[in-house]
């Protein structure tokens, strides 16, 4: 899974998100800064979620039965 070199790694994004959550929960930041932190946190959360979703899709895919119900999983087949 290629990642944008300008984007933080999953681990870096998660650490930054944890720091933002701590700062927001502690009430340390004034209102305007809190709004900016919240927006940055949303971006980091979306980045982390996208990376987790991509990783999960690479690991396995759901095998559907003819009626469309989940039947099991199979390993991800790379392109």
């Amino acid at each position: 899974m290629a990642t944008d070199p300008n984007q933080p790694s999953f681990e870096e994004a998660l650490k930054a998100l944890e720091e933002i959550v701590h700062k927001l929960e502690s009430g340390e930041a004034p209102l305007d800064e809190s709004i900016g932190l919240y927006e940055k946190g949303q971006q980091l959360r979306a980045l982390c979620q996208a990376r987790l979703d991509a990783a999960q899709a690479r690991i396995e895919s759901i095998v559907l039965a003819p009626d469309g119900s989940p039947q099991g999983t199979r390993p991800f087949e790379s392109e």
Side-chain angles (χ1 to χ4, degrees):
M1 172 173 59
T3 59
D4 182 345
N6 297 322
Q7 294 287 332
S9 69
F10 174 82
E11 292 78 9
E12 292 167 336
L14 186 59
K15 182 175 172 42
L17 182 57
E18 289 171 344
E19 290 170 359
I20 287 171
V21 168
H22 172 72
K23 194 165 189 179
L24 289 172
E25 288 181 340
S26 71
E28 296 172 19
L31 180 60
D32 288 341
E33 184 182 349
S34 293
I35 292 169
L37 287 169
Y38 180 82
E39 291 170 344
K40 180 65 176 173
Q42 286 291 69
Q43 293 169 351
L44 290 168
R45 184 208 56 79
L47 175 68
C48 288
Q49 188 62 56
R51 295 238 174 111
L52 287 172
D53 292 344
Q56 183 175 0
R58 289 187 69 191
I59 294 168
E60 63 183 34
S61 61
I62 297 173
V63 178
L64 299 178
D67 67 357
S69 64
Q71 179 176 323
T73 60
R74 68 171 175 253
F76 171 76
E77 297 172 16
S78 62
E79 299 151 320

